[in-house]
């Protein structure tokens, strides 16, 4: 704004100062006449007074308390108004509308027992489970679980009109194939170079576009299983021969060793992500002739990870660390620079023996989940539902919490939802799944010998408004 000079008028269009003339000597339409200048000053003062009064009135308007407590109603109102105009934290409220509504309307639909009702023994929480909902022809779901980590038990899941599991002793209507108890499994065997025995932490099915059957995370590295059931180590320590004993120790630090979870990049079956005992997030391209791993640091050991989009990875681990990383911000690889006095062949051999690391400036999470609580447990229940934008995570106090995948906020619901879960030990298995003839996913939680189902709806059919 141009400074005001006494006796002069500044024209903002011509960007020039004009001498203020008396009205009887200036042209009739001249903007620098004394009467026109006085009139504009009065109009500007009135406009400024109106703006000041509008600001004062806006401070007198208080947001409705009901909208603060009812997040769903608040989000729907903000969406009608337009979240882009409201800005700030209101945008996150609107984006969380689906997840918040689902969490707020969650109810306990019942449970499927995997032990007889007359059993007196106490059982620990299920170590693992799987729920399938692909049989739309019969409308039956299927659940597999193990209670002792040795015997696999299966059960059909039939539901009533309220989508609650049916408990009936009549098995005439149930198919008699693919389910039952078994203690005999098809064994896949491969020797490790340094270990006579090793154990499996996680098995991840490969996408349909891959030539792999699955990848297996173990305490000795990662295995890949091809469709013909041949197996090979993707990451493992080198052989302990005398010729390589001096170089085996530093090399082992630059490959994933004990792996707790792994996943394929969304839309790319050739990029594998892994996390485990080492406090690093590992990435590799399976198309490379020699597998090389890149990594970024994490706050602690990684217990769970999931590729939630083409570029974003959700990671959860110990020390209550759960966050989202963006692969596009990992930065470029640090080039191996030749040191003075080294030949080119020596530099090349040095670069081949070392594994690349990403620059640390790109390892900052783009989203953190501050309400996540798990200090020291590795095998805990954890699953992601991208359709609802939800993360279900078991805490170390025996509870299960829901988080928004978009904002990282912890979502609260009614007392009939997952808030009613309070186990003596952390829940070890849970998953989202859409049952046949149902339109929205449900959350299945293994608590003791029971498989509990939580869905959006009402507890009883008569409770519907």
């Amino acid at each position: 704004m141009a400074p005001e000079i006494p006796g002069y008028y500044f024209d903002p269009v011509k960007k020039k100062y004009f001498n203020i003339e008396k009205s009887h000597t200036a042209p009739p339409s001249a903007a620098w006449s004394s009467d026109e200048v006085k009139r504009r000053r009065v109009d500007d003062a009135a406009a400024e007074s109106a703006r000041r009064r509008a600001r004062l009135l806006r401070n007198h308007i208080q947001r409705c308390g009901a909208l603060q407590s009812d997040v769903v109603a608040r989000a729907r109102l903000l969406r009608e108004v337009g979240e882009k105009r409201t800005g700030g934290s209101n945008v996150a409220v609107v984006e969380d509308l689906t997840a918040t509504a689902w969490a707020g309307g969650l109810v306990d639909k019942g449970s499927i027992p995997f032990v007889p009702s007359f059993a007196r023994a106490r059982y620990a929480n299920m170590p693992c489970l799987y729920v399938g909902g692909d049989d739309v022809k019969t409308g039956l779901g299927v659940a597999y679980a193990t209670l002792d980590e040795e015997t696999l038990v299966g059960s059909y899941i039939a539901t009533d009109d309220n989508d609650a599991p049916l408990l009936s002793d009549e098995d005439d209507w149930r198919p008699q194939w693919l389910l039952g108890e078994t203690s005999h499994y098809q064994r896949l065997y491969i020797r490790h170079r340094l270990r006579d025995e090793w154990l499996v932490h996680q098995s991840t099915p490969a996408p349909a576009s891959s030539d792999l059957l699955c990848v297996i995370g173990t305490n000795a590295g990662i295995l890949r299983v091809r469709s013909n059931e041949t197996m090979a180590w993707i990451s493992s320590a080198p052989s302990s021969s005398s010729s390589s004993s001096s170089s085996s120790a530093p090399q082992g630090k630059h490959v994933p060793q004990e792996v707790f979870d792994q996943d394929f990049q969304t839309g790319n079956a050739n990029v594998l992500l892994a996390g485990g005992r080492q406090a690093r997030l590992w990435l590799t391209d399976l198309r490379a002739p020699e597998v090389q791993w890149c990594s970024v640091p994490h706050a602690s050991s990684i217990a769970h990870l999931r590729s939630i989009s083409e570029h974003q990875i959700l990671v959860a681990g110990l020390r209550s660390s759960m966050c989202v990383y963006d692969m596009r911000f990992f930065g470029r690889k640090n080039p191996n620079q030749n040191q003075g006095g080294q030949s080119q062949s020596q530099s090349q051999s040095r670069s081949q023996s070392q594994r690349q690391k990403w620059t640390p400036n790109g390892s900052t999470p783009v989203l953190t989940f501050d309400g996540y609580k798990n200090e020291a447990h590795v095998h805990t229940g954890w699953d992601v539902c991208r359709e609802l934008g939800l993360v279900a995570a078991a805490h170390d106090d025996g509870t299960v919490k829901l988080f928004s995948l978009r904002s990282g906020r912890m979502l609260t619901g009614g007392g009939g939802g997952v808030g009613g879960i309070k186990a003596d030990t952390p829940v070890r298995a849970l998953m989202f799944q859409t049952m046949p003839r149902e339109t929205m996913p449900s959350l299945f939680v293994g608590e003791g010998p029971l498989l509990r189902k939580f869905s959006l709806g009402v507890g009883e059919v008569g409770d519907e408004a």
Side-chain angles (χ1 to χ4, degrees):
M1 184 177 181
E4 184 176 353
I5 301 177
Y8 288 87
Y9 161 72
F10 180 78
D11 193 329
V13 177
K14 298 181 179 180
K15 299 184 182 304
K16 294 173 59 178
Y17 285 95
F18 294 91
N19 187 17
I20 298 177
E21 298 185 22
K22 295 183 180 181
S23 299
H24 63 275
T25 58
S29 60
W32 57 86
S33 65
S34 58
D35 291 344
E36 284 294 321
V37 171
K38 292 179 181 179
R39 183 183 62 79
R40 279 193 299 272
R41 288 177 179 174
V42 172
D43 293 342
D44 293 342
E48 179 62 25
S49 177
R51 287 192 295 268
R52 189 183 301 110
R53 180 176 178 80
R55 287 195 297 267
L56 293 175
L57 290 177
R58 185 172 57 187
N59 295 333
H60 295 164
I61 300 174
Q62 301 294 329
R63 188 179 297 274
C64 178
L67 293 179
Q68 295 293 336
S69 58
D70 191 345
V71 182
V72 176
R74 176 185 173 191
R76 294 178 63 182
L77 178 61
L78 290 173
R79 188 172 63 177
E80 294 295 330
V81 174
E83 69 274 13
K84 292 183 179 180
R85 287 187 296 172
T86 56
S89 61
N90 292 330
V91 177
V93 174
V94 176
E95 291 179 346
D96 291 345
L97 176 58
T98 302
T100 304
W102 191 89
L106 202 63
V107 296
D108 188 353
K109 291 292 187 177
S111 59
I112 300 98
F114 280 86
V115 296
S117 58
F118 53 83
R120 298 297 182 182
R122 296 188 62 184
Y123 291 86
N125 295 326
M126 292 181 186
C128 60
L129 63 88
Y130 173 78
V131 178
D134 299 330
D135 190 0
V136 295
K137 182 177 180 180
T138 63
L140 298 176
V142 63
Y144 290 96
T146 179
L147 301 179
D148 56 5
E149 301 189 42
E150 294 182 358
T151 305
L152 181 67
V153 183
S155 174
Y156 284 104
I157 304 176
T159 56
D160 58 14
D161 294 337
N162 193 32
D163 298 334
L166 284 174
L167 300 179
S168 176
D169 295 332
E170 299 179 0
D171 296 338
D172 296 339
W173 49 269
R174 301 186 182 186
Q176 298 298 323
W177 58 86
L178 299 181
L179 289 182
E181 299 182 3
T182 180
S183 58
H184 302 283
Y185 306 95
Q186 182 177 359
R187 297 183 179 273
L188 300 176
Y189 179 76
I190 184 174
R191 290 187 59 84
H192 190 271
R193 297 174 180 175
L194 295 179
R195 299 172 184 252
D196 294 332
E197 296 181 358
W198 45 271
L199 58 90
V200 173
H201 288 301
Q202 181 79 5
S203 176
T204 302
S209 58
S210 174
D211 62 343
L212 299 178
L213 182 65
C214 65
V215 289
I216 302 174
T218 74
N219 65 334
I222 302 180
L223 280 168
R224 56 179 159 192
V225 182
R226 299 191 181 276
S227 55
N228 58 0
E229 298 184 1
T230 59
M231 304 173 66
W233 290 100
I234 299 178
S235 69
S236 60
S239 60
S240 57
S241 60
S242 58
S243 61
S244 62
S245 60
S246 60
S247 62
S248 62
Q251 284 182 352
K253 296 180 181 180
H254 300 291
V255 296
Q257 298 171 353
E258 184 170 13
V259 177
F260 295 141
D261 199 1
Q262 61 278 330
D263 194 17
F264 293 89
Q265 182 185 13
T266 301
N268 190 350
N270 299 304
V271 177
L272 182 64
L273 317 167
R277 185 75 64 182
Q278 300 155 287
R280 305 195 71 85
L281 172 63
W282 300 91
L283 302 92
T284 188
D285 195 324
L286 300 178
R287 294 169 294 186
E290 180 182 354
V291 176
Q292 294 191 2
W293 291 89
C294 304
S295 65
V296 293
H298 185 62
S300 184
S301 300
I302 296 176
H304 309 281
L305 64 86
R306 189 69 55 83
S307 175
I308 57 177
S309 67
E310 182 181 358
H311 302 292
Q312 293 187 334
I313 310 166
L314 176 62
V315 175
L318 309 187
R319 295 174 58 187
S320 301
S321 59
M322 184 160 67
C323 57
V324 175
Y325 293 102
D326 196 314
M327 297 172 58
R328 294 169 293 185
F329 298 149
F330 282 171
R332 298 181 179 179
K333 296 178 181 179
N334 291 328
N336 293 325
Q337 298 179 355
N338 295 341
Q339 298 180 359
Q342 287 185 337
S343 63
Q344 183 177 2
S345 60
Q346 290 176 338
S347 176
Q348 290 178 353
S349 62
R350 178 185 177 90
S351 63
Q352 291 176 358
S353 63
Q354 292 180 344
R355 295 294 185 267
Q356 297 283 2
K357 289 185 179 180
W358 296 94
T359 52
N361 61 340
S363 62
T364 303
V366 297
L367 179 64
T368 57
F369 297 73
D370 297 329
Y372 179 64
K373 302 297 180 184
N374 178 25
E375 290 294 331
H377 294 84
V378 173
H379 297 290
T380 58
W382 188 87
D383 198 14
V384 177
C385 181
R386 287 188 288 181
E387 178 183 351
L388 298 174
L390 280 171
V391 182
H395 284 195
D396 50 13
D397 60 354
T399 61
V400 175
K401 302 298 182 182
L402 298 174
F403 297 87
S404 168
L405 195 58
R406 293 180 177 270
S407 65
R409 296 189 305 115
M410 181 188 297
L411 305 177
T412 58
V418 294
I421 298 177
K422 183 61 178 178
D424 296 334
T425 57
V427 173
R428 301 182 63 186
L430 57 83
M431 71 172 295
F432 289 98
Q433 186 60 272
T434 302
M435 299 299 292
R437 302 172 185 175
E438 294 184 13
T439 57
M440 298 192 70
S442 299
L443 177 63
F444 293 86
V445 180
E447 183 179 8
L450 302 178
L451 178 61
R452 302 180 61 179
K453 179 186 180 185
F454 298 89
S455 304
L456 176 66
V458 293
E460 300 293 340
V461 177
D463 296 339
E464 293 185 285

